[in-house]
Amino acid sequence: MTNGGDSRSGVVAATPAVVQGKTILLIVGGGIAAFKALELVRELRRAGARVTPVLTENGARFVTALSLGALAEARVRTSLWDLEDEASMGHIQLSRSADLIVVCPATADLMARAATGQANDLASTLLLATDTPVLMVPAMNVRMWLHPATQRNVAQLRGDGVTVLDPDEGDMACGEFGPGRLSAVPAIMAAIAENLLPARLREELVGFSVAQDRTPPAPPASGRGELKGRHALVTAGPTHEAIDPVRYIGNHSSGKQGFAIAAALAAAGARVTLIAGPVALPTPPGVTRIDVTSARDMAAAVDAALPVDVAIMVAAVADWRVETAGSKIKKGSGGPPALHLTENPDILASVASGANRPRLVIGFAAETGNLIAQATAKLARKRADWIIANDVSQGVFGADANHVHLVSAAGAEDWGAASKAEVAARLVQRIADAL
Ligand code: C5P
């Protein structure tokens, strides 16, 4: 993705050839994943890049300057107070002489300091002093990654134009499971290559403008601050359930309706947390976006975002996940492999029945028949306050138009055919009336 955008860099077919002859300033932070930075250095050198390594004080607890310097074939910088460098304005030059700054691993602490403009060691000073593009590759414990403070910092960094990759999901060194693992080295290489492309080409490849992502939060439109002081949570898009490292089960949800609702909530003055599955949509102005991949990531991110005043669960969450294979399943003589499915958590139902239940819980129901009866049953089963029901038999997925019914204990209202933006505006008005 682009600078300041979210993070699925692997989707862009950037060729590593762009890396050749470039200078990468590599900041290695302190974390168990620091050893993978050594592998990254090897790959960068193999691709013909020059690597200028910077090791933080905590990074040096995990890898040695000796091994980093040997692989990079360059002197490792560790301290701001290197007099020789300071005499020649070393850190300013250092930060500007590179084509790209890569922070790998980017720890929660280093991201927090960068997000708040601190300059209390060499790494943070370089990040503050630079006008060179910055790519951060986070790695940390799953709770630390999902913590609202880290997510705020990530959103801030992305808003400032830094590319922050989403960490991978999996078993962690600390024994937990979830998002937080350092991206695989080939994915980091693809992201580096992508960030070295000229901005114009990158925009063409990714299909939307860098500038869009840098739009500052819009103040609520005048007279439309009805939700000021309210916190709204929106889920949107599909989820992807990994079959093996290269395949997944997904669905056709585009995320457009959920993003339109998040945008309308922000325009009405609400604080909005948008938890988005894998979609290629720009973040609406003023919205804090958390990108997730699987239903379980989404459930954890929703849990971490509570309490809120209103939850609007628009995401098309996969009902089942697959028992994921650790390596790519090969075609063999034994015929097609069996996929063992396990039921995913029902996020809407757990939010509506949980201790932190928002005052207003709204679900969506995509149905292909018996719309009102199905939605009414869903309202009771999930303990939601309202269900927005839509008939998806006529190609709503990915379209800009929608035809919904609002189903509540009071009955069903037909809202007629409307654009997704109109549905969003009407829903937000109803939410403001109800709260
Ligand atoms: O049961 P069904 O998938 O039709 O319900 C749709 C509603 O429930 C949507 O609001 C969707 O976001 C939510 N949902 C969920 N977690 C699931 C399945 C659906 O939050 N695992």
Side-chain angles (χ1 to χ4, degrees), residues 235 295 298 312-320 344-350 362-367 378 381-382 387-388:
T235 65
M298 189 172 273
I312 306 129
M313 318 299 259
V314 197
V317 183
D319 289 321
W320 304 284
N344 268 330
D346 190 314
I347 306 168
L348 171 60
S350 5
I362 305 170
F364 268 64
E367 305 292 348
K378 200 160 286 179
R381 197 170 62 243
K382 307 229 183 192
I387 291 281
I388 307 296

Side-chain angles (χ1 to χ4, degrees), residues 371-395:
L371 187 62
I372 306 301
Q374 295 280 7
T376 308
K378 200 160 286 179
L379 186 75
R381 197 170 62 243
K382 307 229 183 192
R383 301 197 181 179
D385 297 303
W386 305 342
I387 291 281
I388 307 296
N390 57 355
D391 187 341
V392 291
S393 57
Q394 286 135 32

Side-chain angles (χ1 to χ4, degrees), residues 51-116:
V51 178
T52 308
V54 171
L55 189 57
T56 67
E57 198 182 329
N58 286 331
R61 295 175 193 270
F62 294 91
V63 295
T64 65
L66 202 63
S67 46
L68 190 58
L71 285 168
E73 297 172 88
R75 180 177 152 209
V76 178
R77 323 281 173 134
T78 53
S79 167
L80 191 54
W81 307 115
D82 182 327
L83 289 182
E84 189 196 325
D85 283 347
E86 277 307 296
S88 57
M89 288 299 284
H91 68 272
I92 303 285
Q93 267 165 12
L94 199 58
S95 70
R96 297 189 186 160
S97 60
D99 295 291
L100 180 68
I101 299 183
V102 177
V103 186
C104 176
T107 59
D109 171 68
L110 190 46
M111 288 198 298
R113 286 188 286 127
T116 49

